[in-house]
Amino acid sequence: MYNLAIISGDGIGQEVMSACEYLLDKLDLEFSFEYGEAGFECFNNNGTTLPEETIRIANKSDAVLFGASTSTPGEPSPIINLRKALNVYANIRPIKSYKGVNCIHDDIDFVIVRENTEGLYSQNEYGDCDKMIAERVITRHASERISKAAFNLCIKRGQSKVTCVHKSNVLKKTDGVFTESFYKVAKDYPQIQTEDYYVDAMAMYLITQPQNFDVIVSTNLFGDILSDESAGLVGGLGLAPSGNIGDHNGLFEPVHGSAPDIAGKNIANPCSMILSAAMMLDYLGEWEISNNIRNSVEKVIADCKIRTPDLGGDASTMEVTKAIVKELI
């Protein structure tokens, strides 16, 4: 029996989470669900975007599934604060091309490992009406920790190269520490090829030669931007899952946001949420089932018959989900 914390959040987060729960109920595994609130609607109801009770539920769970949250003006991001509360320092975002999706490159299979606890997402901002300052916090400890996570993931995936992305030619101290830490850790992995690029050049290379990368590691903001760019290479955010991994907790979420423009229409692509659940099952050690889920998603996408509007179809969220479950069972 796995105890899962379910935090649907706002907008399409609620719809894709319902689809994900439907799929989980069909698996030959036992789950208990405990529900927590977070996001804009939560703020309207409780005066906070992330209640302490939600953090408590997440902390005592075997894993956390998070849908999406809408930004609340003047309030901290609930997902960023939840990541910090759980100390899930490695944000893992796989990027994979799928047969049946029109892509410039059809051989993409890399992963972005994003430092998840500091950088500009430290949310340390201050100033007055004329000048605002955001502190960019980069520590050697967090930089070495995320670099180790990237190298270990490269070995786990059976790949051969880790690429460090930074901007140390301008941010000489902060990104200097990040890059130095990367190469310090690299000495412990002599079998892995290493390279590094400035983030602006990397943004170009992801468009022109994405098949040349295996594992990419970067700071919080750069990793966030590059992973959204990369999702555009393989069909959009509806196919982009992510996992937030720490030493004691795992938090899994689709990369997409709450998409209020389509919320309530039952047309959101559930694949990124379902693939995030597959990553959760990897984390829990249920590798056979997680691989079966990924294979089922791939078959439904390749079939081209049942797909949501973001991929050129007219199917609903649940129609796609049921097609995946049909392949699965």
Side-chain angles (χ1 to χ4, degrees):
M1 170 79 75
Y2 294 112
N3 175 35
L4 304 184
I6 304 293
I7 306 170
S8 298
D10 302 309
I12 64 169
Q14 300 176 13
E15 297 165 47
V16 297
M17 187 65 77
S18 293
C20 184
E21 288 185 65
Y22 175 86
L23 179 140
L24 291 175
D25 282 337
K26 303 298 183 180
L27 300 180
D28 189 22
L29 292 172
E30 290 189 34
F31 299 101
S32 65
F33 300 146
E34 193 166 2
Y35 296 88
E37 294 182 90
F40 182 76
E41 290 185 22
C42 176
F43 177 79
N44 289 336
N45 295 331
N46 304 293
T48 177
T49 58
L50 183 65
E52 287 297 323
E53 175 64 9
T54 298
I55 296 174
R56 184 193 68 80
I57 290 170
N59 257 316
K60 71 184 186 71
S61 69
D62 294 311
V64 183
L65 287 172
F66 189 97
S69 61
T70 299
S71 176
T72 305
E75 295 297 319
S77 164
I79 186 59
I80 290 176
N81 282 355
L82 184 58
R83 291 170 185 160
K84 289 180 179 179
L86 299 178
N87 196 26
V88 284
Y89 54 83
N91 185 270
I92 312 297
R93 296 189 169 188
I95 305 295
K96 178 180 171 59
S97 52
Y98 291 92
K99 184 179 179 181
V101 177
N102 186 22
C103 302
I104 297 175
H105 307 277
D106 60 4
D107 54 352
I108 299 173
D109 186 12
F110 64 84
V111 62
I112 294 178
V113 180
R114 165 190 169 196
E115 203 292 317
N116 221 14
T117 63
E118 50 184 34
L120 277 174
Y121 284 22
S122 301
Q123 302 182 97
N124 295 332
E125 297 181 291
Y126 56 89
D128 54 36
C129 60
D130 295 319
K131 183 178 182 179
M132 293 294 174
I133 298 171
E135 292 184 347
R136 187 173 190 263
V137 179
I138 303 290
T139 65
R140 292 188 187 277
H141 168 70
S143 299
E144 290 181 12
R145 182 174 62 178
I146 197 65
S147 295
K148 289 177 183 177
F151 280 100
N152 288 334
L153 182 60
C154 187
I155 292 171
K156 182 178 179 181
R157 285 168 58 90
Q159 294 179 309
S160 60
K161 182 171 64 174
V162 179
T163 304
C164 175
V165 179
H166 58 93
K167 192 62 178 171
S168 64
N169 59 329
V170 176
L171 302 170
K172 295 181 183 297
K173 293 186 177 181
T174 49
D175 270 11
V177 165
F178 188 82
T179 310
E180 289 168 12
S181 299
F182 170 78
Y183 280 111
K184 177 185 176 182
V185 171
K187 293 178 181 178
D188 295 330
Y189 300 85
Q191 74 277 33
I192 302 298
Q193 179 185 348
T194 58
E195 63 184 7
D196 69 278
Y197 291 113
Y198 298 140
V199 63
D200 43 352
M202 187 66 183
M204 177 186 69
Y205 293 141
L206 284 175
I207 299 298
T208 60
Q209 53 187 53
Q211 68 278 7
N212 290 347
F213 299 103
D214 293 338
V215 175
I216 299 165
V217 63
S218 192
T219 55
N220 211 332
L221 179 62
F222 293 164
D224 191 8
I225 294 170
L226 292 177
S227 59
D228 279 24
E229 177 196 11
S230 300
L233 295 171
V234 296
L237 295 175
L239 297 176
S242 76
N244 305 270
I245 310 294
D247 293 332
H248 305 289
N249 291 295
L251 164 63
F252 303 87
E253 54 173 324
V255 173
H256 64 66
S258 62
D261 57 322
I262 62 169
K265 297 181 180 180
N266 194 30
I267 59 172
N269 191 336
C271 290
S272 56
M273 184 77 246
I274 290 170
L275 291 169
S276 297
M279 293 182 71
M280 176 195 72
L281 292 170
D282 283 336
Y283 172 77
L284 295 174
E286 300 289 349
W287 298 289
E288 182 178 355
I289 295 176
S290 65
N291 285 331
N292 288 341
I293 291 173
R294 279 187 281 266
N295 290 337
S296 297
V297 170
E298 288 189 33
K299 288 177 182 178
V300 170
I301 293 173
D303 188 55
C304 300
K305 294 178 181 178
I306 302 175
R307 50 176 59 188
T308 44
D310 61 305
L311 295 180
D314 58 5
S316 70
T317 303
M318 284 307 300
E319 284 173 338
V320 172
T321 304
K322 289 179 178 179
I324 293 169
V325 169
K326 184 178 179 180
E327 288 288 346
L328 188 62
I329 59 177

